[in-house]
Amino acid sequence: MFLRTADRVYINLGEFSAYTFDELFDGVLSIPFEDFMPKDAKVIVDGKCVKSKLFAVTASQKIVKKAIMTRLSKVYKTSLLPETGEEFKIEFAIFKDVVSILLNTSGVGLHKRGYRDYVGAAPLKETLASAMVLLSDFYYDKQLIDPFCGSGTIVLEAAKIALNIAPGLDRSFDFQNWSKIDKSFYQKAREEALDKEYRDKQLDFIGYDIDPKAIALATRHAMRAGLGDKVKFEVASVKDLTLNGSFGTVITNPPYGERLLDKAEVSSLYKTLGKAYKNADNWSLFLITSADNFEKDFGMRADKNRKLYNSNKECRFYEYFRKQKYFRNNTTKE
Ligand SMILES: C[S@@+](CC[C@H](N)C(=O)[O-])C[C@H]1O[C@@H](n2cnc3c(N)ncnc32)[C@H](O)[C@@H]1O
């Protein structure tokens, strides 16, 4: 309910060493799957083997599944296991001959919050957008701009963080379908989440994009997230970006010159963004890209940069800090 950057939540059902298929079978057989699974459980097994004697994934998968079904068959005293009921996704990980048997409680990845139904060009996962916002120094009561907002993910995740809206409120989780799990856990977490929201705060968060279709999509997502009156999305080119005057934070995921635009076009976009940021002393800027020459094109060395992966692509997250620090009593200090 509350995890903004995690991919999935698993229950670790058991861990044991296995060097042979027999040891794998026996280890899995000893796990009390019946604590979660009823007689008609539909069991889906997936997994990976890394640096281990057992390296054949498909064969290991079959053994794990067979051991689970054997266990259920013994416990429920029947050889008829129709697999027509609640669904359970089991993942095994065999790493250096140690087997972990994990039960996926989330279902689809937690980046699926529920508000983004159509995807734009090269969208960020909501979990990564959230991580970028949490790594930044944004203030909920100051301006936040994403000049390349696409489908609006960064602005919407920032708004959820600022208003303390739980990321899991508008989606369901696999564990909710499990009859052996006490339904009141979910209900309590939901009530707690709703209780912690501050929906009455006003925000000054804006996303710009040159593509009207992207802005239409971002606006749609804002409405679906219940944030239609909290954030703004407008069609504008980065050429027209001004950061002067007020105090704020830019957080953005521009084109990288791979899927969107070519290297020369991207280099020119970074130069334009650098010009807009050059004299914006009261602004900080956080940007993710895989482009090699970003700092050169942008015209400034970052105060800090760290490695982040956008899906499987290795990127850098460049951090430029504002010259003035902001304090909540509204005084500013060098
Ligand atoms: C990598 S995508 C951003 C995706 C976004 N973070 C999301 O989650 O959907 C980059 C965006 O930059 C926009 N763009 C390209 N050139 C631009 C320009 N000159 N000014 C403003 N936006 C531009 C593209 O239309 C595209 O939507």
Side-chain angles (χ1 to χ4, degrees), residues 151-192:
S151 59
T153 323
I154 293 174
V155 170
L156 293 171
E157 287 300 312
K160 283 186 172 241
I161 291 169
L163 303 175
N164 214 23
I165 298 174
L169 266 175
D170 295 330
R171 60 162 282 157
S172 59
F173 306 93
D174 270 13
F175 78 85
Q176 285 176 264
N177 301 320
W178 301 344
S179 51
K180 297 201 179 202
I181 296 282
D182 182 350
K183 295 269 180 291
S184 68
F185 288 136
Y186 173 76
Q187 210 41 46
K188 268 192 209 129
R190 205 180 152 76
E191 279 160 23
E192 189 189 338

Side-chain angles (χ1 to χ4, degrees), residues 232-243:
K232 277 190 248 159
F233 291 107
E234 290 171 12
V235 178
S237 165
V238 68
K239 276 204 318 274
D240 303 319
L241 180 68
T242 48
L243 300 174

Side-chain angles (χ1 to χ4, degrees), residues 130-148:
S130 248
M132 288 167 58
V133 173
L134 292 170
L135 286 169
S136 83
D137 61 358
F138 92 108
Y139 291 93
Y140 69 81
D141 52 352
K142 295 287 167 193
Q143 217 178 16
L144 183 148
I145 295 181
D146 177 357
F148 302 98

